[in-house]
Every structure is written in C-alpha cells, then in structure tokens.
Amino acid sequence: MGTRMNTNAFKNNMTRGARFFLIGGIALLAACNGEQTAPDKQPRVEVAPLPPTPLFDQDSAYAFVARQVAFGPRVPATAAHQACGDWLVAKLKEYGAEVVEQRATVTIFNGQSMPLRNIIGSWRPEAADRILLLAHWDTRPFADKDTERMNQPIPGANDGASGVGVLLEIARHLSAKEHGPGVDILFTDVEDYGQPANTMGMDERSMDTWALGAQYFAKNPHVQGYKARFGILLDMVGARDALFYKEALSVQFAPAIVNKVWRTAESLGHADRFIPETKYFVGTDDHVPINKQLRIPTIDIIQYDPSTQAFGPYWHTHDDDMDVIDPETLRAVGRTVLEVVWKER
Ligand code: AHN
Ligand code: ZN
C-alpha cells in the first residue's frame, strides 16, 4: 500500500516537474527575446506562470441548484435531507475529493435534539497549506417570514442550494489544481434551524441558535489542529440581480480577504455585483464560529438587498424557489471565487 502510494506520488511529481520545466523553458525563451529588443540591466525574477483558471460553467452550477431543490426541502431528520446528503457525498467523490462526514446530535433553539451531518471534501489533503470554502446545505424547516403555511419548510433555492451549487461547480475542476494550497469544501448542516423570527432577538443567545453545523466544525474540525490560510462562505449567491456588499463581520474578522475577493471580482468585470461598500446586516452566519474558534480569517459572500436593507424579500418564505435563481449571478460569484482559489500560490 505504502509502496504503491509512493510510486504514484513519484509519477505525479515527475509529470508535474516535466510540465514545470516546459513552462519554465518557454518563460526563459520569452525573457531572452525580450532582452534582444529591449535590453535592460535590471536582473529579472522569473516567476512560473500559474495555470489558467478553468471556465466556471453557470449552467452546470444552475443544474446543481435545481437538483438539490428537486429533492424537496433538505430539512434535517427527513428523507429528502438524507437523499441529498448522499448525493453530495457521491458528487464530491466523483470530482476526486477525499470525503469525511461528521455526524453528531445538536440541540436546537427549543431544546429538541437534531441529527447533524457536515460533509467535507478535501483535495490534496496531505498539503498543510489550505483554503476552506463553505456553504450550508440544509433548508429552513419553517417559513417564518411568510404570511401563509408558516410552519412548513421552504424550497431553499437561494438560501441553501445556491452556495452549494456554486461550490459543486468549483469542485468539478479541483482535481486539475496541482499548484498552490490544497482545498477543502465544507457543506455545513443545521445552519438554518435558528430561532423563529417572532421570538428572535439580536442577543448572543438568539444568535447561537444559528449555524449549529459550523459551530460543531469549529469545535471539532475533521483534522486535529485544522488550519487554512483563509475561508470563503457562500450564502444566498444565486438571486437575479443580486448585489454583494462587503459584509461587516467579514470586514472585522478578515479585511484582507474581503479586499482580495472584491478586487478579483472587479478585475473580472463584476464590479456591478460586488460593491466595495460595507453594510452591517448579518447577525451571524457560518463564518463567525470559524473566525472566533479556529481563527481562520473567513468571509461571507451574501446578498444585500438595498430595498429590504437585509436579504431578498423571498427570504425564509415559500417564494425562495428556482424562479429566484439566475445563472448570471451564480457566474459572477463562481468565477470570482474560482479565480481567487486558482491564483493563490
Ligand atoms: C440571521 O438571520 C441571524 N443570520 C443569517 C443566517 C442565515 C439564515 N443565512 C441563511 N439563512
Ligand atoms: Zn436561512
């Protein structure tokens, strides 16, 4: 077993080495040419060019969102939730990840016990240097912002499926990434079982009823002493005409990562979506425990709707279905995150 792995690692390194040599050779040739036409005395530091960022396919991302919604609401402890979780595990494996599932029991806002299933896909898990990407995959069990059928679960197309859909489309490319940090994709569970709106306060106790999967991961990471350079959380990233303002808690915990992501969006032509202004509108989310406990600087890319001064008007209602989702929004977010991941040395 050990010998076989070593042989494979050797082969991989040889291929990688050979490719690097070839690219290096081309770079050197270009440099020599440059010197003939424009001689300068400054010694140049040649940095190996990074492989081009793969194309983010928004239709593929859209199909991943639709597939999740088709399972029905992914409410913890339901058959739809279990089936969708099995599908997510299979997809991550199909795309070359090593998958770890975290199963636990957590206590929700009303004291009831709830099963928890965090799903983690890792590419090049042996690399110490890592990037963490995350999104919650569960669906809110009630429509407390609606006016009817308030105790029935929502479709969760934008709130839940959109972030996972973008990350699955990124996952589809990750086995081709042989350079830079390793990547972990964390699908958190029981994010959206927080205290209902009518009893919700802005106090810490109310806030702690959200993001139970991320809280669990922050206390019990899948790898002892888990560290990553930075983390990016995607939450509600698929709505038509969505705008992404710098989220205040992200700016507080991880200003450099916020700037990196918003600048990258601008460089790709998505400055119309990623607005470089800070808004305070997220009481808590999965990035908070990751920042506080694991001390991994982690940001939240989450829609800010100026008309509600919070999330979209369909938020936590039965209207959060596929009609809300636009592939162009998934594209703006997906291209940006994929570019950030690919350009990291
Ligand atoms: C609160 O509502 C306190 N935070 C937003 C977290 C959330 C809920 N994201 C999606 N649904
Ligand atoms: Zn929600």
Side-chain angles (χ1 to χ4, degrees), residues 100-281:
V100 173
E101 293 188 56
Q102 295 190 314
R103 302 216 186 225
T105 305
V106 291
T107 307
I108 58 166
F109 70 94
N110 59 6
Q112 206 185 318
S113 288
M114 199 53 63
L116 169 97
R117 184 184 188 187
N118 285 339
I119 299 168
I120 305 134
S122 299
W123 285 261
R124 285 190 286 125
E126 72 285 355
D129 208 357
R130 313 199 60 76
I131 295 173
L132 174 66
L133 306 175
L134 65 156
H136 79 91
W137 72 278
D138 62 307
T139 317
R140 188 146 181 81
F142 23 73
D144 47 328
K145 291 282 188 185
D146 212 321
T147 51
E148 50 193 48
R149 295 189 290 121
M150 287 173 68
N151 49 15
Q152 285 176 33
I154 61 167
N158 199 38
D159 190 354
S162 68
V164 172
V166 168
L167 292 187
L168 279 179
E169 171 54 15
I170 289 175
R172 196 167 70 80
H173 301 286
L174 283 178
S175 62
K177 188 171 112 60
E178 297 178 331
H179 65 285
V183 178
D184 301 298
I185 289 185
L186 164 62
F187 294 139
T188 60
D189 196 7
V190 203
E191 186 278 337
D192 229 345
Y193 229 124
Q195 205 163 329
N198 59 339
T199 63
M200 178 76 189
M202 283 299 272
D203 55 297
E204 203 154 323
R205 272 188 51 165
S206 287
M207 291 306 163
D208 284 351
T209 64
W210 299 84
L212 298 186
Q215 289 187 43
Y216 182 86
F217 178 82
K219 288 196 199 93
N220 315 276
H222 65 306
V223 169
Q224 219 191 355
Y226 179 71
K227 261 291 178 195
R229 275 191 198 183
F230 60 85
I232 302 178
L233 164 64
L234 304 185
D235 193 4
M236 301 190 266
V237 292
R240 187 164 295 106
D241 299 327
L243 299 176
F244 303 99
Y245 286 76
K246 296 179 172 181
E247 183 277 314
L249 300 171
S250 308
V251 171
Q252 183 195 315
F253 286 119
I257 311 308
V258 172
N259 290 336
K260 188 203 290 272
V261 169
W262 263 252
R263 273 196 217 113
T264 302
E266 186 192 9
S267 78
L268 295 174
H270 297 306
D272 56 333
R273 302 289 196 143
F274 284 76
I275 316 294
E277 263 174 64
T278 304
K279 300 279 182 193
Y280 181 78
F281 65 108

